[in-house]
Amino acid sequence: MNWTDERVEQLKKLWAEGLSASQIAAQLGGVSRNAVIGKVHRLKLSGRGKTTSTQTRSKKINTGSSGASRGGGSSGHVATRVVSRSIGATALQTEYSTELVPVMKTVTDVVVPISRRLELVQLNERTCKWPMGDPLQPDFNFCGNDVGESGPYCGYHSRLAYQPASDRRRVR
DNA sequence: CCCTGATTCGC
DNA sequence: GCGAATCAGG
C-alpha cells in the first residue's frame, strides 16, 4: 500500500479526531500502526493539539469473572460506570423468551454496559468476541472485555453463549 | 499482559 | 519517503 492523497487525507482526519494510530491503521487497512505513526511524524502533525488522549477513555473494564479488580488499585484507572443493572436484568428475562436477534441487541446494549467496543482487527486471544450492535451498521464491533481463562467470551457473555433461551436467567 | 506514541535506521 | 524494530511509558 502506498500513501495516496486520499489515504493521507483520511489519516489526517482520523488523527485529528483523536483516534489512536492502531485504530487508524485498522481503518485504512494495509498498513501497520507503525506506518501510521511514521507517516504522522513525517507530516509533522504529531502534536495533535491537546492532551495525550487515547487509552484514557473507558478503561478499567472488569469482567464479571477472572481475577480482575485488585483491592488497592494504585494505578488510578477510570472506573466504568455501572448503569442500571436491575433494569438490564429485567429486560433480559423479558426479552429472552421471544426471538434471538432482539435478544442480542438487548444483551449487548443494556445488560452489559461495560465494553471496550473494539473493532475486529483489534481483537486478540484475551478479548471477548461477543458482537456488539447491528452488523449492518458502521459502528458494529465487539465486546472486547478481558475473557480471562474461560474462552472466547468475557465473564458476562460466556454465561449467555450456547445456552437455550429457557436456561437463561440473569446476568450476575 | 494489554496498550499508547516516539525514535531510529536500513531499505 | 517508508515502516519494522525498538524504546519509553500508562
Side-chain angles (χ1 to χ4, degrees):
Chain A
M1 267 300 181
N2 62 319
W3 289 103
T4 64
D5 288 354
E6 283 194 4
R7 288 166 66 81
V8 172
E9 199 173 327
Q10 195 176 6
L11 167 62
K12 289 180 179 176
K13 177 192 170 191
L14 295 174
W15 184 261
E17 287 178 2
L19 293 185
S20 69
S22 62
Q23 289 176 313
I24 295 173
Q27 287 206 222
L28 291 177
V31 288
S32 65
R33 90 182 180 91
N34 275 325
V36 171
I37 293 175
K39 186 62 180 176
V40 165
H41 210 260
R42 270 170 251 121
L43 291 172
K44 298 180 178 178
L45 35 76
S46 58
R48 194 139 52 164
K50 51 193 168 188
T51 45
T52 314
S53 71
T54 62
Q55 208 188 352
T56 307
R57 273 169 290 206
S58 67
K59 251 295 181 174
K60 216 356 155 225
I61 319 149
N62 186 8
T63 68
S65 62
S66 78
S69 63
R70 282 282 107 67
S74 56
S75 51
H77 284 300
V78 180
T80 306
R81 279 183 298 190
V82 180
V83 201
S84 55
R85 197 172 284 163
S86 58
I87 294 177
T90 303
L92 181 64
Q93 289 187 321
T94 305
E95 297 296 327
Y96 264 171
S97 58
T98 57
E99 349 165 41
L100 182 61
V101 174
V103 166
M104 295 278 284
K105 287 198 167 193
T106 301
V107 170
T108 56
D109 292 341
V110 180
V111 178
V112 189
I114 53 174
S115 78
R116 300 164 68 190
R117 294 192 72 94
L118 297 179
E119 289 157 32
L120 179 58
V121 294
Q122 295 181 295
L123 294 176
N124 59 40
E125 295 303 321
R126 292 186 63 82
T127 53
C128 179
K129 282 82 176 177
W130 190 272
M132 305 285 289
D134 189 338
L136 299 182
Q137 294 303 118
D139 66 337
F140 173 71
N141 40 34
F142 298 84
C143 171
N145 283 337
D146 191 335
V147 301
E149 307 298 322
S150 51
Y153 302 119
C154 69
Y156 287 97
H157 293 135
S158 61
R159 303 187 194 190
L160 302 177
Y162 310 129
Q163 293 179 19
S166 57
D167 288 348
R168 294 178 185 142
R169 293 223 159 67
R170 60 176 57 193
V171 178
R172 292 221 68 185

